[in-house]
């Protein structure tokens, strides 16, 4: 048997545990999604998320061990997301990981959530090796990361305001689609015309940074304008045109950054990376520009613990060990060279 990592993820509204062998082989991947619960409120309610994590965390961990077909003794280390994320939610996973590591005398390895999202790409792509350019777009983050090695990163672009997923969620709410907005806009867009409405694309001069708040305001202004003029809104056209504006910027910045850093490969990561049109647009742009393109399956794009197990493996192999004082860090910065 290789190196088995038990991984735990509870940074937002998924309570998840997984067992990953040698940083690539997912032996189990258990996800309890709280989406149904938070839907009622139109977004994640932190206190409710924490309480649900407390209720579910031991169940998903036990299920992950069982499904992997291993015993507690077969685990080499316990990896856990300790930031960034909701502090109360993170604390549940961190406390559970500490308790198991202490009781079973296993090393404890804290993992950065975004490093986990990036590492999801290794699960199904055995040929993917650093260096490469990775576009991480999730509900809380939009980072363009030059992955120099398995745990060596250079952040070359970031959002200056809203994250891409946040923009999806806000626009979805404005057109009455509910939470979480990303998958709903993805679906509705297929019935709309992406060229129907000209929404702005923010391109930052001399930088690969992003900004989505102007786009979000433009969509809200458009909707208000239609309402005032009594014009019926075609929601599918709004969804498709908004989505196209986000995708254009994500793709342009990724390709330009990959060229500037002489990368041979481009990867996508994070919840928004499960967007079907984004995957298609990035694949096409990579093909046209001669880059190999990588993308995790949707189940490994949105929050899961398998990705934490992969990132945790590389941290473990690099000698990272955390003490019993490991704390949840809601604003944990990503280490960048
Ligand atoms: O990575 P993730 O699960 O959680 C964070 O780390 O934030 O990302 C969740 C985000 C949400 O904003 C959700 O609306 C978005 O990913 N998302 C999508 C799609 N599926 C999830 N956005 C666009 N298209 C999708 N198919
Ligand atoms: Zn995430």
């Amino acid at each position: 048997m290789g190196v088995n990592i038990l991984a735990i993820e509870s940074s937002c509204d998924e309570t998840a545990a997984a067992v990953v062998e040698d940083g690539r082989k997912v032996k189990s991947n258990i996800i309890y999604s709280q989406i149904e619960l938070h839907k009622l409120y139109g977004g994640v309610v932190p206190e409710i998320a924490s309480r649900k994590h407390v209720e579910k965390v031991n169940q998903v961990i036990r299920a992950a061990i069982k499904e992997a077909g291993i015993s507690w003794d077969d685990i080499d280390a316990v990896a856990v997301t300790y930031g960034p994320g909701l502090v109360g939610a993170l604390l549940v996973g961190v406390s559970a990981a500490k308790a198991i590591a202490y009781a079973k005398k296993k090393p404890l390895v804290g993992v950065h959530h975004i490093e986990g999202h990036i590492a999801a790409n290794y699960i199904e792509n055995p040929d993917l090796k650093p260096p490469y350019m990775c576009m991480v777009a999730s509900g809380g983050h939009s980072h363009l990361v030059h992955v120099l090695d398995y745990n060596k990163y250079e952040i070359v672009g970031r959002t200056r305001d809203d994250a891409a997923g946040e923009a999806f969620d806000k626009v979805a709410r404005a057109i009455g689609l509910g939470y979480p907005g990303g998958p709903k806009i993805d679906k509705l867009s297929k019935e709309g015309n992406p060229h129907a409405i000209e929404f702005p694309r923010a391109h930052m001069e001399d930088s690969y940074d992003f900004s989505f708040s102007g786009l979000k305001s433009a969509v809200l202004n458009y909707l208000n304008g239609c309402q005032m003029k009594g014009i019926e809104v075609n929601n599918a056209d709004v969804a498709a045109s908004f989505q196209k504006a986000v995708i254009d910027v994500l793709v342009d910045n990724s390709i330009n950054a990959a060229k500037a850093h002489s990368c041979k490969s481009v990867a996508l990561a994070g919840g928004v990376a499960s967007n079907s049109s984004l995957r298609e647009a990035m694949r096409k742009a990579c093909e046209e520009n001669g880059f190999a393109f990588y993308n995790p399956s949707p189940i490994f794009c949105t929050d899961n613990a398998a990705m934490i197990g992969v990132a945790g493996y590389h941290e473990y192999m690099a000698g990272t060990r955390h003490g019993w004082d490991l704390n949840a860090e809601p604003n944990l910065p990503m280490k960048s060279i």
Side-chain angles (χ1 to χ4, degrees), residues 20-337:
V20 178
E21 186 179 350
D22 290 338
R24 300 245 179 200
K25 188 174 170 211
V26 177
K27 289 181 153 176
S28 63
N29 185 31
I30 310 292
I31 304 167
Y32 171 78
S33 171
Q34 304 182 2
I35 282 177
E36 287 306 317
L37 198 62
H38 297 285
K39 246 183 195 168
L40 301 168
Y41 307 94
V44 178
V45 184
E47 180 63 21
I48 294 177
S50 310
R51 285 167 187 250
K52 205 65 187 174
H53 284 311
V54 170
E55 203 180 307
K56 291 289 171 188
V57 74
N58 287 334
Q59 289 175 24
V60 299
I61 293 168
R62 275 206 194 89
I65 295 284
K66 191 169 173 216
E67 196 174 299
I70 62 164
S71 73
W72 294 101
D73 291 334
D74 298 327
I75 294 165
D76 293 281
V78 182
V80 63
T81 306
Y82 72 111
L86 302 169
V87 67
L90 288 164
L91 264 176
V92 178
V94 168
S95 306
K98 280 200 241 179
I100 293 170
Y102 182 77
K104 302 290 176 189
K105 300 187 170 54
K106 306 288 180 187
L108 176 70
V109 179
V111 173
H112 190 286
H113 185 72
I114 300 300
E115 295 184 20
H117 274 302
I118 295 170
N121 276 291
Y122 302 125
I123 297 171
E124 298 154 297
N125 299 303
D127 59 322
L128 174 62
K129 291 183 178 68
Y132 59 95
M133 190 60 67
C134 188
M135 177 67 241
V136 192
S138 74
H141 313 270
S142 296
H143 282 19
L144 200 43
V145 182
H146 188 196
V147 183
L148 298 159
D149 207 337
Y150 289 100
N151 39 26
K152 196 167 161 206
Y153 309 93
E154 180 189 8
I155 299 176
V156 300
R158 58 175 82 229
T159 184
R160 298 201 179 166
D161 38 60
D162 293 353
E166 203 177 340
F168 268 94
D169 294 336
K170 285 176 180 167
V171 167
R173 188 198 286 232
I175 56 175
L177 296 179
Y179 180 85
K184 291 180 175 160
I185 289 199
D186 191 351
K187 194 161 166 236
L188 185 61
S189 291
K190 297 192 194 312
E191 296 159 30
N193 174 5
H195 305 286
I197 310 151
E198 195 52 42
F199 288 132
R201 283 127 173 94
H203 284 285
M204 308 288 166
E205 223 165 289
D206 300 327
S207 143
Y208 305 112
D209 282 356
F210 303 91
S211 164
F212 296 109
S213 74
L215 169 60
K216 178 193 66 191
S217 302
V219 175
L220 298 180
N221 287 343
Y222 173 83
L223 294 173
N224 281 338
C226 288
Q227 199 187 18
M228 268 159 30
K229 291 178 212 146
I231 300 168
E232 202 183 322
V233 174
N234 182 329
N235 281 342
D237 282 351
V238 174
S241 301
F242 156 77
Q243 182 177 276
K244 178 86 168 66
V246 175
I247 291 174
D248 282 355
V249 178
L250 294 180
V251 171
D252 282 359
N253 279 9
S254 303
I255 298 291
N256 291 338
K259 279 183 191 164
H261 290 84
S262 308
C263 294
K264 291 195 171 66
S265 313
V266 174
L268 271 176
V272 181
S274 56
N275 184 278
S276 53
S277 305
L278 171 61
R279 295 160 81 93
E280 210 30 62
M282 196 70 94
R283 180 178 308 283
K284 196 161 158 262
C286 283
E287 235 171 66
E288 285 166 6
N289 289 280
F291 297 117
F293 173 64
Y294 298 91
N295 191 163
S297 290
I299 190 68
F300 296 123
C301 286
T302 43
D303 288 349
N304 65 87
M307 67 184 197
I308 303 303
V310 179
Y313 167 81
H314 291 291
E315 289 290 349
Y316 173 73
M317 297 308 276
T320 302
R321 304 288 184 270
H322 284 94
W324 307 129
D325 58 348
L326 178 68
N327 205 354
E329 294 196 28
N331 300 313
L332 183 66
M334 196 172 162
K335 48 182 192 307
S336 175
I337 60 152

